[in-house]
Amino acid sequence: MAVSQIQHNFKPSVEKVAAEAERFSKEITDAQFFYVDKFFLLVSGNSLYLYKYYIDSEKPDDVRRYQNNSRYKLVKRFHQEAAQQITAISCVNEFHSYIVLCGGSNKTVEVYDMNAGRSARTMKDVHCRPVHCISQNKGSAFVGHPPDAYDLFLTTAVTDGIKLWDLRSDKCVRHYEGHANRFHPVGTAISPCARFIGTGSEDKAAYLFDIRSPSHLHKLLGHGDIISDVAFHPLHSQFVTSSANGKLNVYADL
């Protein structure tokens, strides 16, 4: 008996590796779960990929636990012809929503309807620079909003502040300024109650805005470097900031 080929599941096959290399010609710049963990999204260059997947977590014995039966499948690829690169994406994973937002290097925001499998709207000239952060009003499991409240989202671009948008209109609802964002991309977030906006800043401080007012409410100090991202706690009145020096600060309403 002559063994000419050996196959096992510890290493992907050459054919599969070659297929993946052809599929992603550029690096993966972003990845997010979507539709309550039913799908996940990947960004590569100016393309958005929608995948469905199955993770095999049942390992009944010592032999079968080495078998990898997990799998995935490409559902659809969305290609932005007018943009060289997708610079930001946002989707809701906390509840069922078909909407995915993509910012492009051509200063646009593309609104995709994943149920229809197509672009529903192209918002042009959103900022004077490409959008580097999109934040949707995702609410929380501990708070409820009217359906119209989930149409609000934020976009951020270097040197052009933060803008609040409504999916039902192509016009900017409100423009927030006062924080420093001249060179480095900084993150933004909408609080679960949808009353406040948080943002990072290059002046080693974080800023809190009332969503109804363009001027900031609080300037949070105590950081040693640029604030690169921010987040709100889904239940408690807590606000978390992350700085470029690798430190986290947690603020609470006492």
Side-chain angles (χ1 to χ4, degrees):
M1 181 179 68
V3 180
S4 60
Q5 186 177 4
I6 300 176
Q7 292 184 350
H8 56 78
N9 64 339
F10 296 105
K11 184 178 180 181
S13 64
V14 176
E15 293 80 6
K16 186 174 182 180
V17 172
E20 291 299 321
E22 292 179 359
R23 180 172 297 166
F24 302 114
S25 59
K26 296 183 179 180
E27 67 273 12
I28 307 297
T29 57
D30 207 341
Q32 295 188 25
F33 286 101
F34 175 60
Y35 210 70
V36 196
D37 295 337
K38 296 292 191 303
F39 304 90
F40 65 90
L41 298 166
L42 297 179
V43 173
S44 176
N46 59 352
S47 297
L48 176 68
Y49 300 84
L50 176 67
Y51 284 88
K52 64 179 180 179
Y53 65 97
Y54 167 76
I55 297 178
D56 181 24
S57 58
E58 297 182 3
K59 307 295 181 182
D61 52 55
D62 291 340
V63 175
R64 292 185 61 184
R65 69 189 180 95
Y66 291 108
Q67 298 177 354
N68 184 10
N69 295 319
S70 301
R71 54 190 180 271
Y72 63 90
K73 181 181 180 181
L74 177 64
V75 178
K76 193 171 181 63
R77 175 189 176 188
F78 302 88
H79 188 64
Q80 292 192 15
E81 295 287 348
Q84 294 183 350
Q85 186 175 357
I86 294 176
T87 56
I89 65 169
S90 179
C91 63
V92 176
N93 189 46
E94 289 78 4
F95 55 88
H96 295 97
S97 172
Y98 300 122
I99 300 300
V100 176
L101 305 175
C102 287
S105 57
N106 57 343
K107 308 173 188 176
T108 64
V109 169
E110 201 81 24
V111 182
Y112 289 105
D113 184 347
M114 291 299 178
N115 189 38
R118 61 180 178 85
S119 174
R121 179 183 300 171
T122 301
M123 304 171 65
K124 299 181 179 180
D125 298 323
V126 175
H127 286 273
C128 64
R129 297 280 187 92
V131 174
H132 66 253
C133 181
I134 303 175
S135 301
Q136 292 176 260
N137 179 23
K138 301 179 181 181
S140 168
F142 307 99
V143 63
H145 296 293
D148 294 345
Y150 296 104
D151 292 331
L152 300 176
F153 68 96
L154 300 172
T155 59
T156 310
V158 173
T159 73
D160 202 18
I162 305 168
K163 291 185 178 181
L164 178 66
W165 303 83
D166 193 321
L167 281 173
R168 296 164 293 181
S169 173
D170 287 339
K171 295 182 180 180
C172 174
V173 178
R174 190 159 285 114
H175 194 179
Y176 306 92
E177 292 180 314
H179 63 294
N181 190 196
R182 296 178 294 271
F183 306 104
H184 301 276
V186 296
T188 59
I190 301 177
S191 65
C193 63
R195 293 176 54 198
F196 304 104
I197 294 172
T199 181
S201 181
E202 295 172 356
D203 58 358
K204 304 178 182 179
Y207 290 77
L208 288 176
F209 292 84
D210 188 320
I211 200 169
R212 299 164 296 181
S213 174
S215 58
H216 66 271
L217 289 174
H218 302 286
K219 181 179 180 180
L220 306 177
L221 304 174
H223 304 84
D225 210 333
I226 297 170
I227 307 303
S228 57
D229 210 351
V230 297
F232 288 94
H233 194 282
L235 175 59
H236 303 291
S237 299
Q238 295 180 354
F239 182 65
V240 182
T241 62
S242 64
S243 53
N245 59 5
K247 295 183 179 181
L248 298 176
N249 284 17
V250 181
Y251 298 86
D253 184 12
L254 300 178

